[in-house]
mmCIF file of all heavy atoms in Angstrom:
data_model
loop_
_atom_site.group_PDB
_atom_site.id
_atom_site.type_symbol
_atom_site.label_atom_id
_atom_site.label_comp_id
_atom_site.label_asym_id
_atom_site.label_seq_id
_atom_site.Cartn_x
_atom_site.Cartn_y
_atom_site.Cartn_z
ATOM 1 N N CYS A 259 203.717 -1.334 -5.748
ATOM 2 C CA CYS A 259 202.898 -2.415 -5.365
ATOM 3 C C CYS A 259 201.386 -2.079 -5.303
ATOM 4 O O CYS A 259 201.007 -1.025 -4.775
ATOM 5 C CB CYS A 259 203.343 -2.936 -3.988
ATOM 6 S SG CYS A 259 202.452 -4.393 -3.405
ATOM 7 N N GLY A 260 200.575 -2.936 -5.900
ATOM 8 C CA GLY A 260 199.111 -2.728 -5.850
ATOM 9 C C GLY A 260 198.542 -2.980 -7.226
ATOM 10 O O GLY A 260 199.180 -3.567 -8.108
ATOM 11 N N SER A 261 197.255 -2.483 -7.414
ATOM 12 C CA SER A 261 196.597 -2.735 -8.681
ATOM 13 C C SER A 261 196.417 -1.331 -9.321
ATOM 14 O O SER A 261 196.117 -0.315 -8.680
ATOM 15 C CB SER A 261 195.229 -3.375 -8.495
ATOM 16 O OG SER A 261 194.423 -2.625 -7.624
ATOM 17 N N ARG A 347 196.064 4.490 -10.046
ATOM 18 C CA ARG A 347 196.060 3.529 -8.979
ATOM 19 C C ARG A 347 194.663 3.192 -8.496
ATOM 20 O O ARG A 347 193.860 4.061 -8.215
ATOM 21 C CB ARG A 347 196.875 4.020 -7.772
ATOM 22 C CG ARG A 347 197.038 3.010 -6.678
ATOM 23 C CD ARG A 347 197.726 3.599 -5.433
ATOM 24 N NE ARG A 347 199.108 3.871 -5.670
ATOM 25 C CZ ARG A 347 200.066 2.999 -5.556
ATOM 26 N NH1 ARG A 347 199.750 1.671 -5.274
ATOM 27 N NH2 ARG A 347 201.329 3.314 -5.744
ATOM 28 N N LEU A 348 194.327 1.893 -8.491
ATOM 29 C CA LEU A 348 193.086 1.462 -7.950
ATOM 30 C C LEU A 348 193.169 1.105 -6.462
ATOM 31 O O LEU A 348 192.301 1.443 -5.668
ATOM 32 C CB LEU A 348 192.578 0.228 -8.732
ATOM 33 C CG LEU A 348 192.345 0.419 -10.243
ATOM 34 C CD1 LEU A 348 191.967 -0.887 -10.880
ATOM 35 C CD2 LEU A 348 191.228 1.509 -10.469
ATOM 36 N N LYS A 349 194.275 0.391 -6.111
ATOM 37 C CA LYS A 349 194.467 -0.037 -4.692
ATOM 38 C C LYS A 349 195.952 -0.255 -4.483
ATOM 39 O O LYS A 349 196.592 -0.904 -5.264
ATOM 40 C CB LYS A 349 193.658 -1.297 -4.454
ATOM 41 C CG LYS A 349 193.706 -1.717 -2.962
ATOM 42 C CD LYS A 349 192.860 -2.997 -2.783
ATOM 43 C CE LYS A 349 192.851 -3.423 -1.324
ATOM 44 N NZ LYS A 349 192.044 -4.653 -1.094
ATOM 45 N N ALA A 350 196.382 0.247 -3.345
ATOM 46 C CA ALA A 350 197.793 0.011 -2.998
ATOM 47 C C ALA A 350 197.884 -1.220 -2.090
ATOM 48 O O ALA A 350 196.942 -1.594 -1.406
ATOM 49 C CB ALA A 350 198.350 1.235 -2.209
ATOM 50 N N CYS A 351 199.085 -1.806 -2.100
ATOM 51 C CA CYS A 351 199.348 -2.949 -1.151
ATOM 52 C C CYS A 351 199.313 -2.404 0.299
ATOM 53 O O CYS A 351 199.552 -1.221 0.534
ATOM 54 C CB CYS A 351 200.667 -3.539 -1.425
ATOM 55 S SG CYS A 351 200.835 -4.405 -2.974
ATOM 56 N N LYS A 352 198.974 -3.258 1.216
ATOM 57 C CA LYS A 352 198.892 -2.788 2.586
ATOM 58 C C LYS A 352 200.283 -2.338 3.035
ATOM 59 O O LYS A 352 201.283 -2.985 2.892
ATOM 60 C CB LYS A 352 198.411 -3.952 3.463
ATOM 61 C CG LYS A 352 198.239 -3.583 4.963
ATOM 62 C CD LYS A 352 197.745 -4.771 5.756
ATOM 63 C CE LYS A 352 197.502 -4.382 7.203
ATOM 64 N NZ LYS A 352 197.034 -5.514 8.032
ATOM 65 N N GLY A 353 200.303 -1.175 3.617
ATOM 66 C CA GLY A 353 201.554 -0.569 4.132
ATOM 67 C C GLY A 353 202.358 0.153 3.090
ATOM 68 O O GLY A 353 203.427 0.710 3.414
ATOM 69 N N SER A 354 201.904 0.197 1.837
ATOM 70 C CA SER A 354 202.642 0.935 0.762
ATOM 71 C C SER A 354 201.901 2.072 0.201
ATOM 72 O O SER A 354 202.266 2.577 -0.864
ATOM 73 C CB SER A 354 203.036 -0.053 -0.350
ATOM 74 O OG SER A 354 201.878 -0.537 -0.960
ATOM 75 N N GLU A 355 200.874 2.555 0.885
ATOM 76 C CA GLU A 355 200.146 3.709 0.373
ATOM 77 C C GLU A 355 201.064 4.923 0.282
ATOM 78 O O GLU A 355 201.813 5.188 1.211
ATOM 79 C CB GLU A 355 198.978 4.002 1.274
ATOM 80 C CG GLU A 355 197.817 2.989 1.273
ATOM 81 C CD GLU A 355 198.153 1.829 2.186
ATOM 82 O OE1 GLU A 355 199.209 1.864 2.759
ATOM 83 O OE2 GLU A 355 197.328 0.938 2.356
ATOM 84 N N PRO A 356 201.006 5.661 -0.802
ATOM 85 C CA PRO A 356 201.867 6.804 -0.935
ATOM 86 C C PRO A 356 201.514 7.875 0.132
ATOM 87 O O PRO A 356 200.366 8.168 0.353
ATOM 88 C CB PRO A 356 201.599 7.305 -2.349
ATOM 89 C CG PRO A 356 200.258 6.759 -2.701
ATOM 90 C CD PRO A 356 200.151 5.439 -1.991
#
Side-chain angles (χ1 to χ4, degrees):
C259 182
S261 57
R347 184 187 290 277
L348 299 176
K349 185 178 180 180
C351 292
K352 185 178 181 181
S354 64
E355 293 81 358

